[in-house]
PDB file of all heavy atoms in Angstrom:
ATOM      1  N   GLY A   1    -136.699 -17.593  -7.583  1.00 98.00           N
ATOM      2  CA  GLY A   1    -137.160 -16.177  -7.717  1.00 98.00           C
ATOM      3  C   GLY A   1    -138.558 -16.222  -7.321  1.00 98.00           C
ATOM      4  O   GLY A   1    -139.047 -17.143  -6.582  1.00 98.00           O
ATOM      5  N   ASN A   2    -139.368 -15.112  -7.629  1.00 97.00           N
ATOM      6  CA  ASN A   2    -140.723 -14.929  -7.234  1.00 97.00           C
ATOM      7  C   ASN A   2    -141.573 -14.336  -8.330  1.00 97.00           C
ATOM      8  O   ASN A   2    -142.624 -13.729  -7.991  1.00 97.00           O
ATOM      9  CB  ASN A   2    -140.870 -14.085  -5.958  1.00 97.00           C
ATOM     10  CG  ASN A   2    -140.147 -12.774  -5.997  1.00 97.00           C
ATOM     11  OD1 ASN A   2    -139.534 -12.543  -7.113  1.00 97.00           O
ATOM     12  ND2 ASN A   2    -140.214 -11.916  -5.080  1.00 97.00           N
ATOM     13  N   PHE A   3    -141.300 -14.652  -9.581  1.00 96.00           N
ATOM     14  CA  PHE A   3    -142.049 -14.184 -10.653  1.00 96.00           C
ATOM     15  C   PHE A   3    -143.283 -14.946 -10.819  1.00 96.00           C
ATOM     16  O   PHE A   3    -143.328 -16.216 -10.906  1.00 96.00           O
ATOM     17  CB  PHE A   3    -141.244 -14.371 -11.969  1.00 96.00           C
ATOM     18  CG  PHE A   3    -141.890 -13.690 -13.224  1.00 96.00           C
ATOM     19  CD1 PHE A   3    -142.495 -12.404 -13.174  1.00 96.00           C
ATOM     20  CD2 PHE A   3    -142.072 -14.488 -14.305  1.00 96.00           C
ATOM     21  CE1 PHE A   3    -143.166 -11.929 -14.369  1.00 96.00           C
ATOM     22  CE2 PHE A   3    -142.711 -14.006 -15.527  1.00 96.00           C
ATOM     23  CZ  PHE A   3    -143.152 -12.750 -15.476  1.00 96.00           C
ATOM     24  N   SER A   4    -144.471 -14.368 -10.855  1.00 93.00           N
ATOM     25  CA  SER A   4    -145.729 -15.018 -10.838  1.00 93.00           C
ATOM     26  C   SER A   4    -146.238 -15.208 -12.289  1.00 93.00           C
ATOM     27  O   SER A   4    -147.246 -15.930 -12.468  1.00 93.00           O
ATOM     28  CB  SER A   4    -146.767 -14.229 -10.168  1.00 93.00           C
ATOM     29  OG  SER A   4    -147.076 -12.919 -10.809  1.00 93.00           O
ATOM     30  N   GLY A   5    -145.640 -14.658 -13.273  1.00 93.00           N
ATOM     31  CA  GLY A   5    -146.179 -14.723 -14.633  1.00 93.00           C
ATOM     32  C   GLY A   5    -146.690 -13.228 -15.031  1.00 93.00           C
ATOM     33  O   GLY A   5    -146.799 -12.915 -16.111  1.00 93.00           O
ATOM     34  N   THR A   6    -146.990 -12.402 -13.884  1.00 94.00           N
ATOM     35  CA  THR A   6    -147.472 -11.053 -14.177  1.00 94.00           C
ATOM     36  C   THR A   6    -146.450 -10.051 -13.433  1.00 94.00           C
ATOM     37  O   THR A   6    -146.283 -10.187 -12.321  1.00 94.00           O
ATOM     38  CB  THR A   6    -148.835 -10.813 -13.438  1.00 94.00           C
ATOM     39  OG1 THR A   6    -149.810 -11.777 -13.994  1.00 94.00           O
ATOM     40  CG2 THR A   6    -149.395  -9.415 -13.553  1.00 94.00           C
ATOM     41  N   PRO A   7    -145.756  -9.335 -14.328  1.00 94.00           N
ATOM     42  CA  PRO A   7    -144.791  -8.349 -13.695  1.00 94.00           C
ATOM     43  C   PRO A   7    -145.338  -7.463 -12.698  1.00 94.00           C
ATOM     44  O   PRO A   7    -146.479  -6.942 -12.764  1.00 94.00           O
ATOM     45  CB  PRO A   7    -144.367  -7.588 -14.975  1.00 94.00           C
ATOM     46  CG  PRO A   7    -144.573  -8.446 -16.083  1.00 94.00           C
ATOM     47  CD  PRO A   7    -145.824  -9.246 -15.703  1.00 94.00           C
ATOM     48  N   GLY A   8    -144.642  -7.374 -11.511  1.00 93.00           N
ATOM     49  CA  GLY A   8    -144.985  -6.511 -10.438  1.00 93.00           C
ATOM     50  C   GLY A   8    -146.034  -7.193  -9.423  1.00 93.00           C
ATOM     51  O   GLY A   8    -146.487  -6.516  -8.515  1.00 93.00           O
ATOM     52  N   ALA A   9    -146.340  -8.472  -9.595  1.00 94.00           N
ATOM     53  CA  ALA A   9    -147.227  -9.174  -8.673  1.00 94.00           C
ATOM     54  C   ALA A   9    -146.574 -10.532  -8.259  1.00 94.00           C
ATOM     55  O   ALA A   9    -146.991 -11.512  -8.626  1.00 94.00           O
ATOM     56  CB  ALA A   9    -148.605  -9.416  -9.437  1.00 94.00           C
ATOM     57  N   PRO A  10    -145.607 -10.331  -7.458  1.00 94.00           N
ATOM     58  CA  PRO A  10    -144.710 -11.514  -7.055  1.00 94.00           C
ATOM     59  C   PRO A  10    -145.471 -12.440  -6.173  1.00 94.00           C
ATOM     60  O   PRO A  10    -146.427 -12.049  -5.410  1.00 94.00           O
ATOM     61  CB  PRO A  10    -143.456 -10.812  -6.394  1.00 94.00           C
ATOM     62  CG  PRO A  10    -144.049  -9.607  -5.802  1.00 94.00           C
ATOM     63  CD  PRO A  10    -144.992  -9.064  -6.835  1.00 94.00           C
ATOM     64  N   VAL A  11    -144.947 -13.663  -6.194  1.00 94.00           N
ATOM     65  CA  VAL A  11    -145.268 -14.708  -5.194  1.00 94.00           C
ATOM     66  C   VAL A  11    -144.115 -14.790  -4.185  1.00 94.00           C
ATOM     67  O   VAL A  11    -143.206 -14.032  -4.394  1.00 94.00           O
ATOM     68  CB  VAL A  11    -145.551 -16.111  -5.887  1.00 94.00           C
ATOM     69  CG1 VAL A  11    -146.763 -16.014  -6.861  1.00 94.00           C
ATOM     70  CG2 VAL A  11    -144.278 -16.521  -6.749  1.00 94.00           C
ATOM     71  N   GLY A  12    -144.301 -15.775  -3.277  1.00 94.00           N
ATOM     72  CA  GLY A  12    -143.159 -15.923  -2.308  1.00 94.00           C
ATOM     73  C   GLY A  12    -141.890 -16.629  -3.060  1.00 94.00           C
ATOM     74  O   GLY A  12    -142.081 -17.224  -4.045  1.00 94.00           O
ATOM     75  N   VAL A  13    -140.763 -16.192  -2.589  1.00 97.00           N
ATOM     76  CA  VAL A  13    -139.519 -16.747  -3.321  1.00 97.00           C
ATOM     77  C   VAL A  13    -139.405 -18.326  -3.188  1.00 97.00           C
ATOM     78  O   VAL A  13    -139.335 -18.769  -1.998  1.00 97.00           O
ATOM     79  CB  VAL A  13    -138.242 -16.022  -2.842  1.00 97.00           C
ATOM     80  CG1 VAL A  13    -137.025 -16.709  -3.377  1.00 97.00           C
ATOM     81  CG2 VAL A  13    -138.269 -14.571  -3.004  1.00 97.00           C
ATOM     82  N   HIS A  14    -139.517 -18.965  -4.266  1.00 98.00           N
ATOM     83  CA  HIS A  14    -139.364 -20.477  -4.098  1.00 98.00           C
ATOM     84  C   HIS A  14    -139.177 -21.081  -5.463  1.00 98.00           C
ATOM     85  O   HIS A  14    -139.152 -20.322  -6.523  1.00 98.00           O
ATOM     86  CB  HIS A  14    -140.682 -21.044  -3.469  1.00 98.00           C
ATOM     87  CG  HIS A  14    -141.915 -20.958  -4.510  1.00 98.00           C
ATOM     88  ND1 HIS A  14    -142.606 -19.701  -4.804  1.00 98.00           N
ATOM     89  CD2 HIS A  14    -142.488 -21.972  -5.175  1.00 98.00           C
ATOM     90  CE1 HIS A  14    -143.530 -20.050  -5.603  1.00 98.00           C
ATOM     91  NE2 HIS A  14    -143.581 -21.308  -5.931  1.00 98.00           N
ATOM     92  N   LEU A  15    -138.858 -22.344  -5.524  1.00 98.00           N
ATOM     93  CA  LEU A  15    -138.746 -23.183  -6.663  1.00 98.00           C
ATOM     94  C   LEU A  15    -140.079 -23.952  -6.742  1.00 98.00           C
ATOM     95  O   LEU A  15    -140.298 -24.732  -5.778  1.00 98.00           O
ATOM     96  CB  LEU A  15    -137.614 -24.051  -6.715  1.00 98.00           C
ATOM     97  CG  LEU A  15    -137.635 -25.251  -7.801  1.00 98.00           C
ATOM     98  CD1 LEU A  15    -137.320 -24.647  -9.097  1.00 98.00           C
ATOM     99  CD2 LEU A  15    -136.546 -26.272  -7.428  1.00 98.00           C
ATOM    100  N   HIS A  16    -140.778 -23.971  -7.883  1.00 98.00           N
ATOM    101  CA  HIS A  16    -141.819 -24.930  -8.172  1.00 98.00           C
ATOM    102  C   HIS A  16    -141.153 -26.058  -9.048  1.00 98.00           C
ATOM    103  O   HIS A  16    -140.627 -25.792 -10.127  1.00 98.00           O
ATOM    104  CB  HIS A  16    -142.975 -24.447  -8.906  1.00 98.00           C
ATOM    105  CG  HIS A  16    -144.046 -25.338  -9.255  1.00 98.00           C
ATOM    106  ND1 HIS A  16    -144.992 -25.750  -8.465  1.00 98.00           N
ATOM    107  CD2 HIS A  16    -144.235 -26.039 -10.451  1.00 98.00           C
ATOM    108  CE1 HIS A  16    -145.743 -26.681  -9.015  1.00 98.00           C
ATOM    109  NE2 HIS A  16    -145.311 -26.847 -10.242  1.00 98.00           N
ATOM    110  N   PHE A  17    -141.318 -27.257  -8.533  1.00 98.00           N
ATOM    111  CA  PHE A  17    -140.744 -28.430  -9.278  1.00 98.00           C
ATOM    112  C   PHE A  17    -141.797 -29.497  -9.482  1.00 98.00           C
ATOM    113  O   PHE A  17    -142.593 -29.816  -8.459  1.00 98.00           O
ATOM    114  CB  PHE A  17    -139.566 -29.097  -8.307  1.00 98.00           C
ATOM    115  CG  PHE A  17    -138.933 -30.419  -8.878  1.00 98.00           C
ATOM    116  CD1 PHE A  17    -137.811 -30.398  -9.784  1.00 98.00           C
ATOM    117  CD2 PHE A  17    -139.554 -31.610  -8.605  1.00 98.00           C
ATOM    118  CE1 PHE A  17    -137.407 -31.595 -10.286  1.00 98.00           C
ATOM    119  CE2 PHE A  17    -139.070 -32.772  -9.008  1.00 98.00           C
ATOM    120  CZ  PHE A  17    -137.954 -32.792  -9.779  1.00 98.00           C
ATOM    121  N   SER A  18    -141.811 -30.151 -10.603  1.00 98.00           N
ATOM    122  CA  SER A  18    -142.759 -31.180 -10.859  1.00 98.00           C
ATOM    123  C   SER A  18    -142.158 -32.230 -11.759  1.00 98.00           C
ATOM    124  O   SER A  18    -141.294 -31.899 -12.574  1.00 98.00           O
ATOM    125  CB  SER A  18    -144.060 -30.605 -11.369  1.00 98.00           C
ATOM    126  OG  SER A  18    -143.894 -29.987 -12.527  1.00 98.00           O
ATOM    127  N   ILE A  19    -142.790 -33.425 -11.764  1.00 98.00           N
ATOM    128  CA  ILE A  19    -142.418 -34.476 -12.596  1.00 98.00           C
ATOM    129  C   ILE A  19    -143.588 -34.657 -13.620  1.00 98.00           C
ATOM    130  O   ILE A  19    -144.604 -34.931 -13.284  1.00 98.00           O
ATOM    131  CB  ILE A  19    -142.191 -35.853 -11.872  1.00 98.00           C
ATOM    132  CG1 ILE A  19    -141.116 -35.651 -10.758  1.00 98.00           C
ATOM    133  CG2 ILE A  19    -141.631 -36.878 -12.845  1.00 98.00           C
ATOM    134  CD1 ILE A  19    -140.982 -36.734  -9.829  1.00 98.00           C
ATOM    135  N   VAL A  20    -143.298 -34.369 -14.938  1.00 98.00           N
ATOM    136  CA  VAL A  20    -144.236 -34.309 -16.009  1.00 98.00           C
ATOM    137  C   VAL A  20    -144.319 -35.634 -16.880  1.00 98.00           C
ATOM    138  O   VAL A  20    -143.174 -36.059 -17.272  1.00 98.00           O
ATOM    139  CB  VAL A  20    -144.090 -33.023 -16.751  1.00 98.00           C
ATOM    140  CG1 VAL A  20    -145.165 -32.811 -17.793  1.00 98.00           C
ATOM    141  CG2 VAL A  20    -143.982 -31.882 -15.894  1.00 98.00           C
ATOM    142  N   ARG A  21    -145.426 -36.084 -17.227  1.00 98.00           N
ATOM    143  CA  ARG A  21    -145.556 -37.163 -18.141  1.00 98.00           C
ATOM    144  C   ARG A  21    -145.253 -36.860 -19.545  1.00 98.00           C
ATOM    145  O   ARG A  21    -145.487 -35.670 -19.916  1.00 98.00           O
ATOM    146  CB  ARG A  21    -147.003 -37.674 -17.978  1.00 98.00           C
ATOM    147  CG  ARG A  21    -147.432 -38.333 -16.707  1.00 98.00           C
ATOM    148  CD  ARG A  21    -148.819 -38.771 -16.631  1.00 98.00           C
ATOM    149  NE  ARG A  21    -149.334 -39.298 -15.437  1.00 98.00           N
ATOM    150  CZ  ARG A  21    -149.207 -40.515 -15.055  1.00 98.00           C
ATOM    151  NH1 ARG A  21    -148.691 -41.416 -15.803  1.00 98.00           N
ATOM    152  NH2 ARG A  21    -149.680 -40.903 -13.812  1.00 98.00           N
ATOM    153  N   ASP A  22    -144.896 -37.840 -20.320  1.00 98.00           N
ATOM    154  CA  ASP A  22    -144.596 -37.756 -21.604  1.00 98.00           C
ATOM    155  C   ASP A  22    -145.822 -38.007 -22.485  1.00 98.00           C
ATOM    156  O   ASP A  22    -146.735 -38.789 -21.965  1.00 98.00           O
ATOM    157  CB  ASP A  22    -143.503 -38.675 -22.080  1.00 98.00           C
ATOM    158  CG  ASP A  22    -143.013 -38.317 -23.547  1.00 98.00           C
ATOM    159  OD1 ASP A  22    -142.173 -37.490 -23.837  1.00 98.00           O
ATOM    160  OD2 ASP A  22    -143.514 -39.015 -24.490  1.00 98.00           O
ATOM    161  N   ASP A  23    -146.108 -37.397 -23.614  1.00 97.00           N
ATOM    162  CA  ASP A  23    -147.373 -37.820 -24.320  1.00 97.00           C
ATOM    163  C   ASP A  23    -147.321 -39.021 -25.206  1.00 97.00           C
ATOM    164  O   ASP A  23    -148.144 -39.306 -25.888  1.00 97.00           O
ATOM    165  CB  ASP A  23    -147.740 -36.561 -25.218  1.00 97.00           C
ATOM    166  CG  ASP A  23    -146.835 -36.297 -26.340  1.00 97.00           C
ATOM    167  OD1 ASP A  23    -145.735 -37.006 -26.413  1.00 97.00           O
ATOM    168  OD2 ASP A  23    -147.098 -35.395 -27.225  1.00 97.00           O
ATOM    169  N   GLY A  24    -146.131 -39.721 -25.078  1.00 95.00           N
ATOM    170  CA  GLY A  24    -145.913 -40.946 -25.820  1.00 95.00           C
ATOM    171  C   GLY A  24    -145.302 -40.758 -27.168  1.00 95.00           C
ATOM    172  O   GLY A  24    -144.972 -41.648 -27.828  1.00 95.00           O
ATOM    173  N   GLU A  25    -145.265 -39.415 -27.561  1.00 95.00           N
ATOM    174  CA  GLU A  25    -144.580 -39.135 -28.897  1.00 95.00           C
ATOM    175  C   GLU A  25    -143.472 -38.224 -28.705  1.00 95.00           C
ATOM    176  O   GLU A  25    -142.951 -37.300 -29.553  1.00 95.00           O
ATOM    177  CB  GLU A  25    -145.735 -38.364 -29.655  1.00 95.00           C
ATOM    178  CG  GLU A  25    -146.864 -39.342 -29.995  1.00 95.00           C
ATOM    179  CD  GLU A  25    -147.839 -38.653 -30.954  1.00 95.00           C
ATOM    180  OE1 GLU A  25    -147.724 -37.466 -31.300  1.00 95.00           O
ATOM    181  OE2 GLU A  25    -148.771 -39.356 -31.425  1.00 95.00           O
ATOM    182  N   GLY A  26    -142.830 -38.110 -27.551  1.00 96.00           N
ATOM    183  CA  GLY A  26    -141.645 -37.319 -27.201  1.00 96.00           C
ATOM    184  C   GLY A  26    -141.878 -35.963 -26.819  1.00 96.00           C
ATOM    185  O   GLY A  26    -140.894 -35.081 -26.756  1.00 96.00           O
ATOM    186  N   HIS A  27    -143.076 -35.510 -26.383  1.00 97.00           N
ATOM    187  CA  HIS A  27    -143.407 -34.245 -25.902  1.00 97.00           C
ATOM    188  C   HIS A  27    -143.895 -34.232 -24.435  1.00 97.00           C
ATOM    189  O   HIS A  27    -144.544 -35.250 -24.042  1.00 97.00           O
ATOM    190  CB  HIS A  27    -144.315 -33.635 -26.794  1.00 97.00           C
ATOM    191  CG  HIS A  27    -144.005 -33.664 -28.298  1.00 97.00           C
ATOM    192  ND1 HIS A  27    -144.561 -34.472 -29.142  1.00 97.00           N
ATOM    193  CD2 HIS A  27    -143.171 -32.934 -28.900  1.00 97.00           C
ATOM    194  CE1 HIS A  27    -144.175 -34.275 -30.396  1.00 97.00           C
ATOM    195  NE2 HIS A  27    -143.227 -33.412 -30.260  1.00 97.00           N
ATOM    196  N   PHE A  28    -143.649 -33.126 -23.728  1.00 98.00           N
ATOM    197  CA  PHE A  28    -144.162 -32.990 -22.322  1.00 98.00           C
ATOM    198  C   PHE A  28    -145.600 -32.500 -22.355  1.00 98.00           C
ATOM    199  O   PHE A  28    -146.046 -31.816 -23.231  1.00 98.00           O
ATOM    200  CB  PHE A  28    -143.296 -32.179 -21.496  1.00 98.00           C
ATOM    201  CG  PHE A  28    -143.181 -30.757 -21.974  1.00 98.00           C
ATOM    202  CD1 PHE A  28    -143.951 -29.769 -21.716  1.00 98.00           C
ATOM    203  CD2 PHE A  28    -141.944 -30.427 -22.761  1.00 98.00           C
ATOM    204  CE1 PHE A  28    -143.731 -28.466 -22.325  1.00 98.00           C
ATOM    205  CE2 PHE A  28    -141.701 -29.194 -23.284  1.00 98.00           C
ATOM    206  CZ  PHE A  28    -142.573 -28.145 -22.988  1.00 98.00           C
ATOM    207  N   LEU A  29    -146.379 -33.077 -21.472  1.00 98.00           N
ATOM    208  CA  LEU A  29    -147.752 -32.699 -21.329  1.00 98.00           C
ATOM    209  C   LEU A  29    -147.872 -31.366 -20.516  1.00 98.00           C
ATOM    210  O   LEU A  29    -146.883 -30.850 -19.979  1.00 98.00           O
ATOM    211  CB  LEU A  29    -148.593 -33.828 -20.647  1.00 98.00           C
ATOM    212  CG  LEU A  29    -148.792 -35.088 -21.425  1.00 98.00           C
ATOM    213  CD1 LEU A  29    -149.415 -36.066 -20.606  1.00 98.00           C
ATOM    214  CD2 LEU A  29    -149.564 -34.782 -22.669  1.00 98.00           C
ATOM    215  N   ASP A  30    -148.996 -30.727 -20.431  1.00 97.00           N
ATOM    216  CA  ASP A  30    -149.198 -29.521 -19.657  1.00 97.00           C
ATOM    217  C   ASP A  30    -149.054 -29.648 -18.264  1.00 97.00           C
ATOM    218  O   ASP A  30    -149.937 -30.388 -17.510  1.00 97.00           O
ATOM    219  CB  ASP A  30    -150.716 -28.960 -19.985  1.00 97.00           C
ATOM    220  CG  ASP A  30    -150.942 -27.609 -19.477  1.00 97.00           C
ATOM    221  OD1 ASP A  30    -150.144 -27.154 -18.549  1.00 97.00           O
ATOM    222  OD2 ASP A  30    -151.941 -26.858 -19.878  1.00 97.00           O
ATOM    223  N   GLU A  31    -148.050 -29.099 -17.558  1.00 96.00           N
ATOM    224  CA  GLU A  31    -147.783 -29.322 -16.217  1.00 96.00           C
ATOM    225  C   GLU A  31    -148.786 -28.787 -15.286  1.00 96.00           C
ATOM    226  O   GLU A  31    -148.889 -29.128 -14.173  1.00 96.00           O
ATOM    227  CB  GLU A  31    -146.329 -28.673 -15.952  1.00 96.00           C
ATOM    228  CG  GLU A  31    -145.838 -28.804 -14.571  1.00 96.00           C
ATOM    229  CD  GLU A  31    -146.245 -27.719 -13.644  1.00 96.00           C
ATOM    230  OE1 GLU A  31    -146.788 -26.734 -14.039  1.00 96.00           O
ATOM    231  OE2 GLU A  31    -146.151 -27.989 -12.375  1.00 96.00           O
TER     232      GLU A  31
END
């Protein structure tokens, strides 16, 4: 899709994919 986080202000249609580190206590960090 192309949702930017702000309705009505789209980005180009794409997938953003990332590999996120764990905080060592079973939670993901801020991507």
Side-chain angles (χ1 to χ4, degrees):
N2 55 353
F3 183 55
S4 67
T6 302
V11 294
V13 176
H14 71 288
L15 168 70
H16 174 86
F17 173 93
S18 59
I19 304 170
V20 185
R21 296 177 183 271
D22 189 87
D23 68 356
E25 297 182 356
H27 308 104
F28 55 87
L29 294 172
D30 187 345
E31 183 274 343

